Amino acid sequence: RATGATFSATLVDQPEGEGAGWRLQGWVKRSDFENRSAAVAAGRNATTPASEQYATPAMGYGLNAALRRDAADGGWEVGADARLFDGETREKFRYMAGAFTRNRVAGGTQSVLGAYGEAYRNLGDWLLTGGVRIDRWATYDGHRTERDASTGVVTLDNRPSDRDGWLPTGRVGARYSVSDDLYLRGAAYAAFRPATLNELYRPFRVGNDVTEANAGLEPEKLYGIEFGVGGDGDLRWDVTVFANRLEGAVTNVTIGFGPGTFPIAGLIPAGGVLRQRQNAGEVEAYGVEAEVERRWESVTLRLAGAYTQAEVDGGSAAPQLTGLRPAQTPRLTAAGEATWRPLDVLSLRAGVRYEGDRYDDDLNTRELSAATEVDLRADWSVSRAVTLYAAAENLFDAKIETAQTGDGLESYDQPQTFRVGLILRR
């Protein structure tokens, strides 16, 4: 069961055309999640409760403020933003003799504060862009407390040290118009991603597989370049080649196999696997992305696809992963969509999405099959403020594998689903 609410507000003063303006945005998000998981008996003929997450309250806050100026030959924007997240998991686990024998509360707080500047310049056939930013990330108030359910005695009390750091990033790009219908473009960039609260503090279990959190995770750092060519005529198309390097990649690294008892994690059943989130070396990825779209008066067709070759270099941190493919990374993905508007008030859309084979685990031993999903949707505009819709998702009930446990238990994405709804606008 998932519940939550989001509120956001934006104030903007931006003159039409050239001139200066400002923007102020803020948002608040609250979420909660309840989940029960089961352990699978040998022979897969019975299950018993494994854990019960009876609450995972989380709050997020964000703010962005910016000044901007646009002119005929270019413009700029400077600003600052802040994000704060706080959350924890509250759960029962270690099911023995017909009852849960342990209680766990784990969580913490994370913040990212940044300032940035970016600019663009029009020079005839050339468009140049660039931006830099500096961010301070921090994780603090981390905690993981486990107690005996019957006595309340503390069996584990971890209080990881607060951590923080500064990271500069940036991007430069250029686009050249060869003709009215053809352009070339290129870009180079650096970015980062701090580990999430889930990765830092929340262990979880799927069947007999246990994944431990890691409060010592460092932010991932991404460096990349890309080059593209495309057209803006009646037939819009774009082809991009790219090369990326992800340093300190956060992934679930296999620690051991069941049956066995491990520090903190405890008992791992037969057929189960213990993993921990770690900064597992580097990931080198390169490939090509392509997209084409054709519009007529009432019909639009769009095709897109990507091929990615990715490989892990575990280095000294995880040498067993060197030469393997990152988990959950298919080589080939493709999607197509057709939209028809037979009436001004009626829109009909059909989409198909394909995802190739990929691995569920870091050791590339659990292969997830390729799958194709087909979706349909119809929207009827009753008025400018009211729209009715009907949708069929995963129309042919494709079995789309998302995970696989050590003893072969499979998890699947959303099955065939039909929805009807009402959209209100003001």
Side-chain angles (χ1 to χ4, degrees), residues 6-263:
T6 301
F7 172 80
S8 62
T10 303
L11 296 175
V12 178
D13 179 17
Q14 181 63 43
E16 295 183 5
E18 300 182 12
W22 54 269
R23 180 182 68 251
L24 183 64
Q25 296 174 301
W27 56 264
V28 179
K29 183 173 183 177
R30 176 192 176 276
S31 67
D32 204 347
F33 179 69
E34 301 172 32
N35 178 62
R36 295 176 183 148
S37 64
V40 185
R44 299 176 65 178
N45 56 4
T47 62
T48 55
S51 65
E52 180 182 342
Q53 293 173 314
Y54 56 88
T56 56
M59 290 289 294
Y61 309 87
L63 183 68
N64 169 249
L67 297 175
R68 184 177 181 91
R69 182 174 181 82
D70 291 301
D73 60 349
W76 53 264
E77 179 175 311
V78 294
D81 46 47
R83 289 169 289 161
L84 176 68
F85 307 98
D86 180 85
E88 64 182 16
T89 178
R90 303 168 187 172
E91 59 188 295
K92 305 172 185 178
F93 67 105
R94 197 171 178 244
Y95 190 84
M96 299 174 66
F100 289 110
T101 62
R102 292 284 190 273
N103 292 323
R104 174 191 294 135
V105 176
T109 304
Q110 179 185 72
S111 64
V112 180
L113 310 176
Y116 65 91
E118 57 186 35
Y120 70 95
R121 185 72 184 274
N122 284 309
L123 299 172
D125 295 330
W126 285 92
L127 172 63
L128 306 178
T129 67
V132 295
R133 64 177 293 136
I134 181 74
D135 287 277
R136 181 185 182 276
W137 62 271
T139 60
Y140 47 95
D141 293 340
H143 55 277
R144 177 173 174 177
T145 303
E146 297 178 0
R147 298 177 182 272
D148 184 276
S150 59
T151 66
V153 173
V154 175
T155 59
L156 178 68
D157 189 12
N158 281 352
R159 304 284 170 169
S161 301
D162 297 346
R163 300 162 55 247
D164 59 69
W166 293 86
L167 281 173
T169 54
R171 184 183 191 279
V172 294
R175 170 174 161 147
Y176 176 67
S177 297
V178 179
S179 65
D180 291 341
D181 297 334
L182 182 66
Y183 62 83
L184 305 174
R185 61 178 179 82
Y189 42 85
F192 81 98
R193 184 188 74 88
T196 65
L197 293 179
N198 269 346
E199 293 167 333
L200 291 166
Y201 304 119
R202 177 179 170 261
F204 69 91
R205 179 170 180 164
V206 178
N208 294 335
D209 292 351
V210 175
T211 301
E212 278 291 332
N214 184 354
L217 291 172
E218 295 289 335
E220 296 178 331
K221 303 180 185 68
L222 174 71
Y223 303 94
I225 57 173
E226 62 183 54
F227 175 77
V229 57
D232 281 331
D234 293 336
L235 182 69
R236 296 181 59 234
W237 60 277
D238 186 273
V239 178
T240 303
V241 294
F242 62 89
N244 291 333
R245 185 176 80 250
L246 183 64
E247 297 182 354
V250 176
T251 190
N252 299 332
V253 177
T254 298
I255 302 298
F257 300 88
T261 302
F262 298 85

Side-chain angles (χ1 to χ4, degrees), residues 193 220 222 242 244-254 275 278-286 307-314 318 320-333 355-368 402:
R193 184 188 74 88
E220 296 178 331
L222 174 71
F242 62 89
N244 291 333
R245 185 176 80 250
L246 183 64
E247 297 182 354
V250 176
T251 190
N252 299 332
V253 177
T254 298
R275 299 190 183 94
Q278 295 183 5
N279 292 108
E282 301 178 355
V283 175
E284 300 280 353
Y286 58 89
Y307 176 84
T308 304
Q309 181 62 42
E311 186 175 293
V312 178
D313 180 357
Q320 74 275 17
L321 304 184
T322 298
L324 301 182
R325 188 170 182 81
Q328 299 289 350
T329 306
R331 285 185 173 83
L332 180 64
T333 59
E355 192 169 86
D357 296 344
R358 61 207 184 284
Y359 293 104
D360 176 67
D361 65 322
D362 58 318
L363 298 178
N364 290 184
T365 60
R366 308 178 188 178
E367 186 173 359
L368 304 178
T402 59

